[in-house]
Structures are given as C-alpha cells and as structure tokens.
Amino acid sequence: MNRHFTTILDLTADEFMDIIDRSLAYKHRRYKNKKPLKNKSIGLFFEKPSTRTRVSFEVAIYELGGNTVNLNPKEMQIGRGETLQDTSRVLSRYLDGIVFRVLSHRTIQTFSECSTIPVINGLSDMYHPCQAIADMMTIKEFKGSLKGIKLAYVGDGNNVANSLIQSCAYADIELVLACPEEYNPDSNVIEEIQEKFKRDIRITADPFEAVKDADVVYTDVWVSMGQEGDKDKKIEILKDFQVNSTLMSHAKKDAIVLHCLPAYRGLEITDEVIDGQQSKVFDQAENRLHTAKAILEFLIK
Ligand code: CP
Ligand code: NVA
C-alpha cells in the first residue's frame, strides 16, 4: 500500500522509533549507503523558502542513488489554474515520491488523496514532521535514550510545536510547553493526542516553570513563514519567552538546547545560548540529512 508522511501520526509508534534508529545508523555510515533510490526520481515542490529541508533532501536523494526534480509551483500549470488533483495524478505517473513545502496543510492533503506515490511533508503551516524526527534523533544521540527525558518547548505554539507534541507522545517524552495564551499550539492537535494517548499536554505561560529540570530546551522562530503581517504583534507578545542564559540556568545543568533553525538571534534565542556549550542546533541541522535518508528509504522501497 502506498504510504504518505504528512504528519508524525501517519507512522505507527514502532515505525517512528525505527526511523530514528535507522537515521542514527545512516549517520554512522554516511558514505557507505546502499542505493535504495537507484533509478528513482523524487520531486521537490516548494512554495516557501528553505535551506535545510531542500538541501538535505537533495543530498540524501543523491547519496541514495536517486534523482531530484525541482518543481517550482510558479513555473507549473498549477499557477495557471490546473487543479492540484490533476497535477497529483500526472506527477504520480512520472515520479517515485514527492517532498512538499506548502503554505496551507490542505494543499498536501488534497494532493495526497490523489497521489499514488509517497508524499512527504517538508513543512506546512500545521506540521513539520521531518524536523521532529531529526529532533528526536538528536536527543537520542546526545542523551543516549528518549526514555525519561523532559523537553521544554518555549515560545510560539506553531507547526514545529505541533509535530513535537505528536513525537513526544510516541517517544513517551515528558513535554511541557511555555507559550503565551494567544499562541498556544493547535487545539485539535492537543485533543487528538489527549484522546489517543490518554495523556495531558502541559502548557504554561511561565517559561521558568517549563524549563525546571528539563533535559532539553527547544525554541523556534516567533514569526513563521507566512505570518509576516503579524510580526510586530507577535514579537511584543512573545518577548518574555526568550531562551537566554538566565532561563537556561533553571534547566538541568547538562540540558541541551535545540532550535530547528533559521534562528532570529536576539529574539527567541540569544547569541550566548545558541553559540554556547549546551547548544546542539548545528548537529540537529546536520541530522536532517540522515533522517531524510531514513524517511525516504522507509517510504520509497
Ligand atoms: N528547519 C528547517 O526546516 O529549515 P529550512 O526552512 O531551511 O528548510
Ligand atoms: N516555524 C517555522 C519553521 C521554519 C523551519 C516556520 O514555519 O517558518
């Protein structure tokens, strides 16, 4: 059966854990890959800018023996009114998989419904599942295990937070989110996890309470792509949610700091923290490459 990866919950918990372990294995044998994508072509359809997602997927596909096809929506007939459904039916006849970065999650859902090739969500307004796999891999890499970990997410309750909520449920990580009331994570995501896993999602408006005894402190940009119109308002409301050294002094001494990047230094995180000893953000960014391989191998056999 054709599988898609549009949210973490498209995987079973076992598949999720297995992809994390396979990513670690890929990291340990970077240039000794088999070529599971030999003679396969993967489309990259990006409606928004990207550095990590685009480049890590392109390199992952190359290193696994496959070929990439860059799909710029502005240069396709979609821009002139061809439907997403017809585009999906046609691209399914040429490609073996497609990575999407979209403004609206609905675009990925509509495309996937007609797609006979695997669809990978490379970020939507709702989720960033590929990032969350790399985040879990990084925690396992530096903490040895996901068991018994406490993760504090501080800042905007956005797409990255939504995928972390789902991932922490699968990994049984204790998650506390510190978000202002105006920018809590999506209520449907929270309700779904509460129902499915019978666990409470802890949200506080106090970053100090959230980071207490945390093993991992995570933040993301305050103004996501597509939210530029709310920039000033968001910066004002989120100003007390900065990850700085005072906040870090309340986490465990050996806590690591994660950020999916790009970072806006001086807003959600200070230079001192992102460039400090506890920061693993560039390892986390590197891990996007290894996780991209494990995700592609899982979906495109
Ligand atoms: N973290 C991440 O997805 O980065 P890009 O926007 O550069 O792809
Ligand atoms: N929340 C951010 C993540 C960027 C990788 C955004 O959507 O812009």
Side-chain angles (χ1 to χ4, degrees):
M1 196 187 73
N2 187 43
R3 298 280 298 270
H4 301 308
F5 183 47
T6 65
T7 93
I8 290 290
L9 299 188
D10 285 343
L11 304 173
T12 65
D14 285 347
E15 288 167 347
F16 168 84
M17 294 304 225
D18 193 50
I19 289 175
I20 295 165
D21 288 339
R22 295 198 64 79
S23 305
L24 285 160
Y26 266 118
K27 186 165 191 167
H28 294 131
R29 54 174 161 85
R30 165 131 189 219
Y31 297 107
K32 292 187 205 126
N33 301 315
K34 292 200 184 110
K35 304 287 180 197
L37 297 188
K38 191 164 179 268
N39 296 329
K40 309 259 185 218
S41 291
I42 315 297
L44 301 173
F45 182 106
F46 280 60
E47 288 181 344
K48 299 198 259 198
S50 169
T51 297
R52 282 142 289 268
T53 306
R54 179 186 285 283
V55 179
S56 63
F57 268 103
E58 281 211 37
V59 175
I61 291 161
Y62 170 77
E63 291 187 6
L64 295 185
N67 169 52
T68 55
V69 181
N70 278 312
L71 303 166
N72 179 348
K74 289 201 183 88
E75 291 169 357
M76 294 169 70
Q77 297 289 8
I78 229 168
R80 297 181 57 251
E82 184 168 19
T83 66
L84 262 175
Q85 289 88 337
D86 287 350
T87 308
S88 173
R89 291 180 185 112
V90 172
L91 293 181
S92 293
R93 306 279 179 122
Y94 302 140
L95 298 169
D96 299 285
I98 184 161
V99 182
F100 261 95
R101 170 163 289 198
V102 292
L103 290 160
S104 162
H105 192 66
R106 188 72 216 135
T107 304
I108 293 188
Q109 287 172 319
T110 306
F111 190 96
S112 327
E113 278 157 22
C114 298
S115 174
T116 57
I117 55 169
V119 172
I120 298 173
N121 180 359
L123 183 143
S124 67
D125 55 341
M126 276 295 289
Y127 301 107
H128 200 358
C130 297
Q131 180 65 52
I133 298 275
D135 302 341
M136 295 296 124
M137 173 189 172
T138 311
I139 296 170
K140 193 157 187 182
E141 183 181 7
F142 286 96
K143 291 287 165 192
S145 169
L146 299 175
K147 279 206 181 72
I149 293 294
K150 177 180 173 184
L151 189 156
Y153 177 90
V154 180
D156 186 26
N158 59 16
N159 45 4
V160 168
N162 290 339
S163 288
L164 280 174
I165 290 172
Q166 297 180 331
S167 299
C168 287
Y170 267 168
D172 203 18
I173 284 178
E174 181 188 348
L175 171 68
V176 183
L177 299 117
C179 306
E181 215 178 296
E182 294 88 335
Y183 299 121
N184 275 346
D186 187 88
S187 56
N188 293 321
V189 172
I190 294 175
E191 275 163 32
E192 187 181 17
I193 292 296
Q194 281 173 336
E195 240 165 66
K196 203 171 158 151
F197 295 85
K198 305 282 170 255
R199 61 189 264 159
D200 263 345
I201 307 288
R202 282 170 60 201
I203 306 177
T204 167
D206 179 359
F208 291 94
E209 182 192 326
V211 303
K212 189 171 178 295
D213 297 326
D215 302 284
V216 183
V217 177
Y218 196 121
T219 189
D220 183 20
V221 290
W222 289 344
V223 185
S224 284
M225 290 178 278
Q227 300 179 339
E228 289 76 10
D230 288 337
K231 186 174 171 199
D232 293 342
K233 182 177 158 210
K234 290 198 83 173
I235 291 176
E236 175 57 27
I237 292 175
L238 282 151
K239 67 177 184 315
D240 296 330
F241 291 79
Q242 183 183 68
V243 175
N244 52 36
S245 32
T246 310
L247 186 67
M248 283 309 297
S249 69
H250 290 253
K252 278 192 184 157
K253 272 203 167 52
D254 63 350
I256 60 169
V257 175
L258 299 181
H259 187 313
C260 64
L261 302 177
Y264 289 81
R265 290 161 174 258
L267 289 180
E268 77 275 3
I269 193 161
T270 57
D271 283 334
E272 202 180 3
V273 171
I274 198 168
D275 296 328
Q277 287 291 317
Q278 289 168 284
S279 169
K280 302 298 170 212
V281 303
F282 298 106
D283 302 283
Q284 181 187 5
E286 178 190 327
N287 288 343
R288 292 296 306 277
L289 170 67
H290 312 299
T291 50
K293 287 182 182 171
I295 292 164
L296 288 161
E297 185 196 29
F298 170 75
L299 289 170
I300 305 163
K301 300 226 172 71

